Amino acid sequence: MAAVSAPGSTLRVGCIGAGKMARGVLGGLLLSGKVPAQQMTVSAPSGTNLQYFRAQGCHTTHSNISVLYESNVIFLATKPHVIPQVLVEISSAVTSDHVIVSMAAGLSLQTLEELLPDGVRILRMCPNLPCVIQQGAVVFSRGSCAGPEEADMLKDLLSACGMCEEVPESYMDIHTGISGSGVAYVYLFAEALVDGAVKMGMPSAIASRIAAQTLLVSFFLTSRPTAAL
Ligand SMILES: NC(=O)C1=CN([C@@H]2O[C@H](COP(=O)(O)OP(=O)(O)OC[C@H]3O[C@@H](n4cnc5c(N)ncnc54)[C@H](OP(=O)(O)O)[C@@H]3O)[C@@H](O)[C@H]2O)C=CC1
Ligand SMILES: O=C(O)[C@@H]1CCC=N1
């Protein structure tokens, strides 16, 4: 099996799906300079999200299987329910030279390996929304045919999107709950602060600014507890 990070081997990154997480992860790779746009190929059914990648200089296509021909590391960034049909579609083009990285929440490595040819190097990751500003909290796990080399390669790539840790797959759904969805809970709490302020007579505009600043500083303090003294 060719090592995608072997000296002299060119890292060509593909992504099937061009939405929020594709943009967060591949955008981080572009911003960090880890992968030039010319070495990126992204596919999606419509042009809606592809136009961002086209504007960055990436190759874009409506053909998922083309991503396999152009890339050696392929991220799967469609919604989970779409992944099985995508894997059936591309399976014939997947070889031992590819590394497949699924972002799909709730799809186990076992399921992914059942849907792909034997021996394919598969990893599973869980990003979160702050990846889009390269402040993500990302975890990943290896499939049965992915080794330390693939893990090191992925950790290096994903470090461009924020914090990145390799974890046992049993942690993946936990991360999805607290971090993959976690940002939404924080927004819900912020809305509750504002709603309370408005109920007590404060205009929502200033209540929103105060709530945002309070939450921002609170998180800052948790990372520097001595600063609170
Ligand atoms: N959003 C989040 O906060 C998190 C997301 N995830 C996971 O990340 C993955 C991506 O989520 P997210 O970025 O939010 O999704 P989006 O809905 O933003 O993007 C989905 C993308 O998939 C494309 N797509 C749809 N059908 C197909 C198909 N048949 N073949 C190829 N591409 C297709 C869409 O195409 P088009 O551009 O034409 O609409 C779109 O570009 C999901 O599996 C999700 O579970 C995990 C944790 C957090
Ligand atoms: O959009 C999604 O599928 C993910 C799963 C957890 C949060 N968002």
Side-chain angles (χ1 to χ4, degrees):
M1 285 192 273
V4 288
S5 52
S9 81
T10 303
L11 192 56
R12 290 171 287 112
V13 172
C15 193
I16 296 178
K20 292 179 285 301
M21 290 303 102
R23 187 164 174 163
V25 172
L26 272 68
L29 300 184
L30 288 169
L31 276 173
S32 62
K34 286 183 182 290
V35 181
Q38 298 74 13
Q39 288 166 221
M40 275 189 189
T41 305
V42 184
S43 69
S46 80
T48 313
N49 290 305
L50 284 180
Q51 58 189 349
Y52 161 79
F53 291 99
R54 201 172 298 124
Q56 302 299 318
C58 305
H59 304 290
T60 61
T61 175
H62 297 305
S63 159
N64 293 333
I65 205 159
S66 304
V67 175
L68 277 290
Y69 299 136
E70 302 281 333
S71 317
N72 44 27
V73 176
I74 294 101
F75 289 94
L76 304 177
T78 69
K79 285 302 191 188
H81 68 282
V82 176
I83 294 283
Q85 74 188 59
V86 167
L87 293 186
V88 167
E89 185 186 336
I90 66 172
S91 188
S92 61
V94 179
T95 71
S96 58
D97 287 340
H98 290 119
V99 175
I100 307 288
V101 185
S102 170
M103 300 187 194
L107 269 187
S108 70
L109 285 161
Q110 181 183 341
T111 302
L112 294 163
E113 287 176 348
E114 286 165 0
L115 290 166
L116 284 166
D118 291 345
V120 173
R121 292 170 288 173
I122 302 169
L123 299 101
R124 178 187 172 192
M125 65 178 277
C126 191
N128 67 350
L129 190 57
C131 284
V132 296
I133 55 169
Q134 284 68 57
Q135 296 296 327
V138 183
V139 293
F140 71 89
S141 302
R142 295 181 221 171
S144 56
C145 298
E149 203 163 287
E150 286 74 37
D152 290 346
M153 177 273 298
L154 184 59
K155 188 173 172 77
D156 176 59
L157 287 179
L158 294 179
S159 62
C161 312
M163 170 195 145
C164 177
E165 303 277 345
E166 182 174 5
V167 299
E169 189 178 14
S170 58
Y171 296 3
M172 203 56 71
D173 291 343
I174 299 169
H175 174 279
T176 301
I178 66 165
S179 184
S181 308
V183 176
Y185 304 142
V186 175
Y187 289 162
L188 208 56
F189 178 63
E191 282 174 8
L193 290 178
V194 175
D195 290 350
V198 169
K199 278 195 179 122
M200 290 185 279
M202 183 183 281
S204 63
I206 185 170
S208 300
R209 290 198 299 275
I210 291 170
Q213 176 65 14
T214 304
L215 289 176
L216 180 68
V217 170
S218 304
F219 299 137
F220 179 73
L221 288 178
T222 54
S223 63
R224 291 180 54 192
T226 51
L229 302 179

